[in-house]
């Protein structure tokens, strides 16, 4: 297994810094990209951060992760709550024995009712919510821990 990790962000996360800063903070996707790369470097992981508003593209990234044996950190954004096709794709990652950590910047359980259900959590290795960008660091640490253990 490689030490590369792909960090996949779903729809509207390209609007970080502009979108609901009271919920998602004032930092943008570029800042998240830098943070994740730096945290990865500390952990011995080569981190690539991606974002797409396109469900099909995010699904293809799951397939690519399986084919290339790359662990995944994913904030599925609103796809979390309804995308069975992304859930099926995410299941292929964990079925392949690869870590897939689900991250949410906010704590969806404390927000609107529709955010309380995740179709991704049942197939994820673990889920981290409500910790802001720091949640991605915790997810990367979890991946490093799981890789070390395997
Ligand atoms: C989110 C929470 C989702 O409910 C929402 O649709 C997002 C972001 C989060 O990071 O807190 O777009 O995944």
């Amino acid at each position: 297994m490689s030490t590369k990790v792909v960090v996949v962000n779903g729809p509207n996360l390209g609007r970080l810094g502009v979108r609901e800063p009271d919920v998602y903070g004032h930092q943008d996707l570029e800042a998240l990209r830098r943070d994740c790369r730096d945290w990865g470097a500390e952990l011995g992981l080569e981190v690539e951060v991606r974002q797409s508003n396109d469900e099909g593209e995010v699904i293809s990234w799951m397939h690519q992760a399986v084919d290339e044996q790359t662990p995944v950190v994913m904030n599925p954004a609103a796809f979390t709550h309804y995308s069975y096709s992304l859930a099926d794709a995410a299941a292929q990652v964990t079925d392949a024995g690869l870590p897939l950590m689900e991250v949410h910047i906010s704590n969806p359980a404390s927000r609107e009712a529709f955010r309380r259900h995740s179709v991704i959590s049942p197939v994820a290795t673990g889920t981290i919510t409500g910790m802001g960008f720091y949640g991605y660091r915790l997810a990367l640490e979890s991946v490093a821990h799981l890789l070390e253990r395997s």
Side-chain angles (χ1 to χ4, degrees), residues 11-13 19 23-24 75-81 103-108 111 114-115 136:
N12 298 305
L13 292 170
R19 171 193 182 203
V23 177
Y24 300 112
N75 183 342
F79 294 152
T80 306
H81 311 300
V103 177
H104 299 283
I105 295 167
S106 69
N107 177 4
R111 300 177 63 197
F114 80 89
R115 296 187 202 277
Y136 290 80

Side-chain angles (χ1 to χ4, degrees), residues 84-146:
Y84 297 111
S85 44
L86 182 56
D88 282 350
Q92 292 170 55
V93 175
T94 44
D95 283 351
L98 296 162
L100 184 149
M101 292 299 298
E102 177 187 0
V103 177
H104 299 283
I105 295 167
S106 69
N107 177 4
S110 69
R111 300 177 63 197
E112 302 96 313
F114 80 89
R115 296 187 202 277
R116 291 187 199 139
H117 182 64
S118 169
V119 299
I120 305 298
S121 295
V123 298
T125 310
T127 303
I128 293 166
T129 69
M131 296 301 292
F133 281 13
Y134 192 69
Y136 290 80
R137 183 185 171 105
L138 297 173
L140 289 167
E141 281 180 16
S142 304
V143 168
H145 169 75
L146 292 163

Side-chain angles (χ1 to χ4, degrees), residues 42-62:
E42 279 176 38
L43 295 161
L45 303 170
E46 186 200 325
V47 177
E48 188 189 332
V49 178
R50 301 179 191 166
Q51 190 276 325
S52 179
N53 298 324
D54 179 338
E55 189 177 8
E57 189 168 31
V58 176
I59 289 167
S60 296
W61 288 342
M62 296 301 113

